Amino acid sequence: SGASTIPMQLARMADPAPRTLGSKLREAFRALQLRFHHDPDELLELYLSNAPYGGNVEGVVAAAWFYFGKTPAHLSAGEIALLVALPRSPRGFDPTLHPARARAERDRVLAVLEAEGVITAAEAANGRALPLPTVRRKPPFSAPHFALLARSAGVGGGGRVGTGG
């Protein structure tokens, strides 16, 4: 536990199974296949697009929006550190449910980033000083007209709405 490679984590996300020796062997085989067919940058992109961040939030782009209302490119070191920590225990480190645990884990990640020279001591201190998010933002309602049309047509009950395409 905790020592899985990114390809193994991707394999587990793609085919969740009870934690047994057999499932671990399947994950290892799938991880080798993934590693053979994709370069490390592609694997990291796949992981960041699919990692669990709590509730039904998956992927770093969604997590950046729901927790901070920003795109990943606009996150601070402290915000990035929290998003690095969350997939390890999405519910356990959820800042809206367990702020003390989330803060401790975020600060641990900041310390590692500082020790590895990825961020400066000042960036780490600024990251530790940031407040944690207390609520998740609501998703944007980007296509209200279409969503309302679909609902009125009874799509949830099996109806069909044509999109003209």
Side-chain angles (χ1 to χ4, degrees):
S1 179
S4 295
T5 64
I6 286 178
M8 288 188 76
Q9 291 179 44
L10 284 167
R12 186 177 321 121
M13 283 188 260
D15 186 18
R19 307 293 294 151
T20 65
L21 180 60
S23 67
K24 193 71 170 176
L25 290 172
R26 269 193 312 281
E27 285 171 17
F29 177 71
R30 294 289 181 224
L32 288 172
Q33 289 179 313
L34 284 166
R35 187 62 191 97
F36 182 73
H37 291 287
H38 300 280
D39 67 49
D41 289 341
E42 290 174 316
L43 292 172
L44 182 58
E45 185 177 337
L46 281 168
Y47 177 77
L48 290 173
S49 297
N50 294 288
Y53 285 91
N56 62 351
V57 179
E58 290 184 2
V60 71
V61 174
W65 168 257
F66 279 101
Y67 287 109
F68 303 109
K70 302 176 183 180
T71 63
H74 293 97
L75 295 174
S76 69
E79 293 164 340
I80 291 168
L82 179 62
L83 295 186
V84 166
L86 272 171
R88 286 192 50 228
S89 180
R91 185 159 174 81
F93 298 145
D94 184 330
T96 66
L97 300 173
H98 307 288
R101 279 192 247 163
R103 180 178 307 285
E105 192 60 17
R106 178 201 63 191
D107 294 353
R108 185 192 69 76
V109 171
L110 285 167
V112 169
L113 293 173
E114 181 184 358
E116 294 291 325
V118 175
I119 61 174
T120 65
E123 289 171 315
N126 288 339
R128 285 188 293 275
L130 282 177
L132 294 172
T134 56
V135 297
R136 289 189 193 163
R137 287 166 174 71
K138 294 190 183 298
F141 196 40
S142 321
H145 296 90
F146 183 75
L148 294 172
L149 172 67
R151 185 175 69 187
S152 70
V155 170
R160 296 178 67 106
V161 174
T163 60

